[in-house]
Amino acid sequence: MLSSLLCSSRVYISAVINHQEARLRLIDFYLTFIGFASRKNLIEHFGVATATASRDFKLYEQTYTEQIVYSVRRRRYERLDTFSPVFDHDIQSALQFLTSDKWVVPHTNPGLGPGISAFVPDGLDLHKVALISRAIASQTIIYVDYAAASSGFSTRYIAPHSLLTNGLAWYVRAFDRKSKEFRNFRLSRFLRVEHIDETCASHESSDEDNEWVTKVTLTLAPHPKQTNQEAFRRDLGLTDKPVVNLEVPSAMAGFTLSAMRVDCSPNASMEVHQFPLRCMNLHELDHVDSMRIAPGVYSAVE
């Protein structure tokens, strides 16, 4: 599920990590990826009393010197220029938390399977990701060196406003001052990220990103060439209706269809074993820019 960087919902964390060290780790996490933290964060995440949260911040400040300072005006603790993370933070877990407010707790394999998965390393760098997420939280500009798939290496100023994923890779949605439009940038392709102490202009905010605030409906069904329709109906949770409707931001339509391996070719001509699902409302998505990367659309245009 896609969401903004900071969510308002509470997080219910397993008792196994509901200890002081976990609270200190969460303080460190907020300072690393958001740039500031408050007692409210600990109170909401762990359900502790205000006095307990105050003691935790005091302990963090005394144990790890030259890390934070309290802002009376903003009523929160902010990272100093000398700040450096004192805990190890897993990038994938961090991104999951930042976008869905779900804390991923490491656990021991219960023995129900081999616990082995094949994957391609994502190439994400914690320092770069943290700089980007702090820029989102503070609504400021970053200067980046970026390796684009189409145009190659370039330097540009961008105003990031949201983190997002297609289930396979992570992206940041940002206003690109070079092209003067909102674009999706893949996190693994940032060669360098530098924070610029400049507030984003009003036209660079997420509210002005029409493709982000506008939702579109994706109507999906088992591919018509599938011999066993019922198997794929079950995959989609279909019991009493022929299709499922997914509502996603316009900017994410193509990403979603690609991740789900949905045939979007005009005549449903893609290999059914590779693309087991079919988009049934292509005529309603002609205006959606992100559809350019949906399976079967690019070849049709060319």
Side-chain angles (χ1 to χ4, degrees):
M1 172 126 185
L2 300 174
S3 63
S4 60
L5 177 67
L6 297 176
C7 305
S8 58
S9 60
R10 290 173 179 261
V11 176
Y12 297 92
I13 301 178
S14 171
V16 71
I17 65 167
N18 193 13
H19 303 294
Q20 188 173 64
E21 181 179 336
R23 298 196 296 272
L24 295 178
R25 179 182 291 274
L26 187 64
I27 291 173
D28 195 68
F29 177 92
Y30 268 85
L31 294 169
T32 300
F33 292 96
I34 306 300
F36 55 85
S38 68
R39 290 176 297 183
K40 181 181 178 182
N41 299 135
L42 297 183
I43 293 170
E44 290 189 346
H45 289 293
F46 293 97
V48 297
T50 301
T52 300
S54 297
R55 286 195 296 270
D56 289 333
F57 274 99
K58 191 67 175 178
L59 177 61
Y60 186 96
E61 187 176 25
Q62 293 176 342
T63 305
Y64 312 112
T65 58
E66 298 184 356
Q67 291 282 87
I68 58 176
V69 63
Y70 184 73
S71 171
V72 177
R73 181 170 66 88
R74 295 189 176 95
R75 302 180 66 180
R76 68 190 189 190
Y77 288 88
E78 300 178 348
R79 54 182 279 154
L80 293 170
D81 291 339
T82 53
F83 174 86
S84 179
V86 295
F87 290 92
D88 292 329
H89 301 289
D90 176 72
I91 298 180
Q92 292 292 337
S93 297
L95 288 167
Q96 178 72 20
F97 178 60
L98 290 168
T99 54
S100 68
D101 213 22
K102 295 178 181 178
W103 189 276
V104 181
V105 183
H107 60 276
T108 302
N109 190 308
L112 301 181
I116 299 173
S117 60
F119 66 95
V120 176
D122 50 37
L124 298 183
D125 177 82
L126 187 143
H127 176 69
K128 295 172 187 173
V129 171
L131 273 170
I132 293 169
S133 65
R134 291 200 303 273
I136 295 175
S138 61
Q139 298 182 351
T140 50
I141 305 298
I142 53 177
Y143 178 69
V144 303
D145 292 339
Y146 187 74
S150 57
S151 58
F153 174 84
S154 65
T155 59
R156 59 188 78 202
Y157 291 91
I158 64 174
H161 69 67
S162 297
L163 294 168
L164 52 129
T165 181
N166 64 359
L168 301 174
W170 286 93
Y171 298 80
V172 60
R173 183 74 175 173
F175 181 83
D176 174 28
R177 289 184 172 179
K178 186 174 183 178
S179 63
K180 295 181 172 56
E181 62 183 20
F182 288 97
R183 291 185 174 183
N184 298 325
F185 295 91
R186 187 160 173 164
L187 293 185
S188 60
R189 294 176 180 168
F190 286 99
L191 283 66
R192 180 171 68 96
V193 178
E194 180 182 338
H195 178 254
I196 304 298
D197 190 17
E198 176 187 345
T199 303
C200 300
S202 58
H203 70 275
E204 299 172 328
S205 70
S206 60
D207 293 339
E208 299 299 318
D209 187 351
N210 290 330
E211 291 185 32
W212 187 255
V213 299
T214 302
K215 299 293 195 301
V216 296
T217 298
L218 307 178
T219 301
L220 308 181
H223 200 288
K225 296 179 182 178
Q226 289 289 355
T227 55
N228 190 347
Q229 294 281 313
E230 184 59 27
F232 294 94
R233 283 175 50 80
R234 289 180 173 272
D235 289 347
L236 291 173
L238 297 173
T239 54
D240 56 353
K241 52 186 179 181
V243 298
V244 61
N245 290 316
L246 300 181
E247 189 177 72
V248 301
S250 176
M252 285 299 296
F255 286 88
T256 303
L257 293 166
S258 179
M260 296 183 68
R261 296 185 296 140
V262 179
D263 183 350
C264 300
S265 61
N267 302 313
S269 58
M270 303 191 73
E271 172 55 51
V272 67
H273 297 296
Q274 297 182 39
F275 300 91
L277 305 178
R278 171 70 173 159
C279 182
M280 308 302 291
N281 65 329
L282 289 173
H283 61 286
E284 298 176 354
L285 305 172
D286 288 340
H287 65 288
V288 178
D289 186 64
S290 70
M291 286 296 292
R292 291 181 297 177
I293 64 171
V297 172
Y298 183 81
S299 57
V301 173
E302 292 297 303

